[in-house]
Structure formats: C-alpha cells, structure tokens
Amino acid sequence: MNNYQYKNLTVEVINEPTYKFGSSDNHFNYSKHYFGDGAIEYPTSKHGIKIYQDDKIIDSCIIIGSGGATGIHQNSSLLDNNQLLLCCCDTIFCLTLPDLDLKWKTQADQATCFQIFQQQDNYIIHGELQVTKLDKEGNKKWEFGGADIFVNTDNEEEFKIETDGILLTDFVNTKYKIDFDGKLLWDTYKR
C-alpha cells in the first residue's frame, strides 16, 4: 500500500487482486473504473485508489490493466503536485487530484511497468523490456532496450538513477549506463 498527503486529503493506493468488474461480491464498490488496453477481456492487475478526508472515503477509482502483472510498492506510484501516476501492467495512468479523473494513459513497456520516477519535468519508467521517458502529458520522449529484460535474480539492483544517468542491469548481468536523453554511455555487452 502507498499513502500520500494531498492538501488536507489522504490518497491510498492498494492492490485489489480479487476485485471483479461488475460483480456485486466485491468488498468495496469503486466509483470510477479505468482500463488499460485489453483489460476488460483479460484483466491481470487491479489497483484501487481511495481519497480520504478525516478518515472518510470521499472518492475512489480502480485501475485495471492487462499484460505483465504489477503490484503496489514504494515506486509503483508517484504523487506530482495535483496528479497521481501509477504503474499498472504495461501502462502508466495519470489521474488528476482530488477528482480522480483520468488525464492520460500511455503504454510505456510491451510487458510490465515496474517503477516510475520523476526526473525534472518528466517521468522515467523502469519497464521489464525497456526504460521509457514520458513528458508531463504522457508523450514518449525516448525508449531504451537492452539485450535482455531489466530483471535480475542475483540480488543486483537492475535500475538505479544516478546524478549523471541511469545504471541498468539485465537478466544475464549485462550492465548499461544511459544518460537522461536515452543515449547509451557504456555497456558490458559481449559482442
């Protein structure tokens, strides 16, 4: 679960794996529903957002995505002024606060978007297959892919933002350094 303070409101982002769209058996009925491409037919991940004022829910929505599954963790969502950005499957959703209206959604990876970070007036997304930079309106500025997926099973940090760029490690431990314009600075790829 992620919690954010927005003015006098608390914004809660939670995982909702058992939620079924249109079912009367859900433990909570969200007031708004937003779907990624293919998510109505093939829902994979479901993330709920609730807005609280004085411990009372005043608004809510649920994001339903399709593709590689995602969960809620420290960097899976981001509060940026009056916007909440959220990774759900292969898509980044941008909601306005406090009304939880969908401002935009962008498929930022072909499989899964793991993390989102703010970088000046842009957003950097750590995806399974690529790193993507989006502007404030959800437009892609660049994408960078490696020789393998940006997932690591050797307890190596596969994605790290440094002062001069982004350090990446892929599944076979190839390391990459890219700048904030998506240009490769160096890699350890065996050619």
Side-chain angles (χ1 to χ4, degrees), residues 27-89:
H27 70 278
F28 182 82
N29 291 315
Y30 287 91
S31 60
K32 298 172 186 163
H33 297 78
Y34 301 118
F35 296 90
D37 293 344
I40 293 174
E41 300 86 1
Y42 305 104
T44 304
S45 295
K46 297 155 237 164
H47 306 314
I49 298 111
K50 298 176 183 176
I51 306 272
Y52 291 87
Q53 185 173 37
D54 300 324
D55 297 326
K56 181 180 179 206
I57 297 173
I58 60 167
D59 208 350
S60 65
C61 75
I62 190 160
I63 306 288
I64 300 174
S66 185
T70 51
I72 302 300
H73 56 84
Q74 180 181 352
N75 297 313
S76 65
S77 59
L78 171 72
L79 181 67
D80 180 16
N81 294 319
N82 65 339
Q83 298 183 147
L84 178 70
L85 295 106
L86 176 68
C87 300
C88 187
C89 296

Side-chain angles (χ1 to χ4, degrees), residues 151-180:
V151 174
N152 191 279
T153 58
D154 294 334
N155 289 331
E156 292 238 14
E157 193 171 16
E158 61 261 328
F159 182 93
K160 183 179 181 189
I161 295 181
E162 299 183 327
T163 56
D164 60 343
I166 304 166
L167 190 60
L168 304 163
T169 304
D170 72 15
F171 192 73
V172 294
N173 285 321
T174 302
K175 301 201 181 319
Y176 309 83
K177 177 110 181 223
I178 60 174
D179 66 17
F180 293 116

